[in-house]
Amino acid sequence: AQSVTQLGSHVSVSEGALVLLRCNYSSSVPPYLFWYVQYPNQGLQLLLKYTSAATLVKGINGFEAEFKKSETSFHLTKPSAHMSDAAEYFCAVSEMGRRALTFGSGTRLQVQP
Amino acid sequence: EAGVVQSPRYKIIEKKQPVAFWCNPISGHNTLYWYLQNLGQGPELLIRYENEEAVDDSQLPKDRFSAERLKGVDSTLKIQPAELGDSAVYLCASSPPEGEQYFGPGTRLTVT
């Protein structure tokens, strides 16, 4: 069985500061890993995905994530936060061959001016 | 390219009433998913279709929930009868073969 743990349900940063959202996964087979962003009253939008190619994955809006097998982690980072980054972020895992995603409980990012 | 379309966006019903949600996936996407998102939680899969066949419905509460995907395109998710605990956002997503999932805006259901 696969699962995702997102540490910190709320993260607050100042505009221009580093963003770090944590995600740890559990999977019995090599996983595919994803980060999604959800703005209020909207669906989920894919930020980036890891599918066993390069361990450092670059996504949209300046976000990137690094797959670390030894730590079973896939943390999301952005060097400099922008006010428009305020949203809910979800980490998700998919086992190869099973198309559905298992999501973490989400981290709400606040960006202070 | 149009995204995943869901309707209605919001629905308020009394408990024990039936309710239905509709999803139109992106053209050419053969896989369709319904997810349930409770407040403050991540989405959870209810059912996955490959074309018109439901291939993963282990999390669908079949005593009150049903779904169908007509001709492998549009899909409808139904709840009958609704309970207070069904209040949540119901998300539809679609994907092409071997591709990523695209999500619709969801239907927010409130059961009173």
Side-chain angles (χ1 to χ4, degrees), chain A:
Chain A
Q2 55 192 11
S3 65
V4 173
T5 301
Q6 291 185 241
L7 297 176
S9 58
H10 290 82
V11 171
S12 182
V13 300
S14 298
E15 192 173 19
L18 171 71
V19 175
L20 171 60
L21 305 182
R22 300 178 184 273
C23 172
N24 289 88
Y25 71 91
S26 171
S27 177
S28 57
V29 299
Y32 289 177
L33 293 160
F34 306 79
W35 276 99
Y36 282 84
V37 60
Q38 186 176 35
Y39 297 98
N41 299 316
Q42 294 186 29
L44 283 73
Q45 179 184 9
L46 181 67
L47 279 177
L48 49 81
K49 61 181 177 182
Y50 166 78
T51 57
S52 75
T55 57
L56 181 62
V57 181
K58 295 186 182 299
I60 62 172
N61 301 339
F63 284 94
E64 62 181 36
E66 185 173 9
F67 172 70
K68 293 187 176 181
K69 183 178 179 180
S70 61
E71 299 178 7
T72 61
S73 69
F74 190 58
H75 301 332
L76 182 70
T77 60
K78 182 175 180 177
S80 177
H82 192 272
M83 297 296 291
S84 62
D85 295 327
E88 188 92 20
Y89 291 80
F90 292 95
C91 182
V93 63
S94 173
E95 293 181 351
M96 290 187 292
R98 185 172 187 268
R99 302 288 304 281
L101 298 168
T102 299
F103 287 87
S105 56
T107 297
R108 181 168 300 277
L109 176 66
Q110 273 188 312
V111 182
Q112 307 288 348

Side-chain angles (χ1 to χ4, degrees), chain B:
Chain B
E1 179 182 86
V4 176
V5 179
Q6 290 188 248
S7 69
R9 290 293 314 278
Y10 303 91
K11 187 74 175 180
I12 302 174
I13 62 171
E14 294 183 347
K15 63 181 180 182
K16 300 184 181 180
Q17 294 301 306
V19 64
F21 315 124
W22 176 79
C23 174
N24 178 241
I26 294 172
S27 178
H29 285 195
N30 63 319
T31 307
L32 185 146
Y33 314 75
W34 282 102
Y35 287 88
L36 165 68
Q37 185 177 20
N38 287 304
L39 186 64
Q41 299 293 319
E44 300 173 18
L45 180 72
L46 288 173
I47 189 168
R48 173 170 68 96
Y49 283 92
E50 294 289 347
N51 299 305
E52 66 275 9
E53 182 182 1
V55 297
D56 187 350
D57 63 354
S58 57
Q59 301 303 310
L60 188 72
K62 299 182 181 62
D63 56 335
R64 296 184 301 107
F65 286 66
S66 64
E68 60 182 5
R69 189 179 184 195
L70 301 174
K71 300 181 180 179
V73 182
D74 294 0
S75 178
T76 303
L77 178 68
K78 297 178 181 178
I79 308 175
Q80 183 171 10
E83 298 179 352
L84 294 176
D86 296 331
S87 295
V89 176
Y90 292 82
L91 293 166
C92 180
S94 69
S95 66
E98 307 305 318
E100 64 194 55
Q101 295 182 36
Y102 292 81
F103 285 80
T107 296
R108 182 177 297 276
L109 173 67
T110 302
V111 182
T112 62

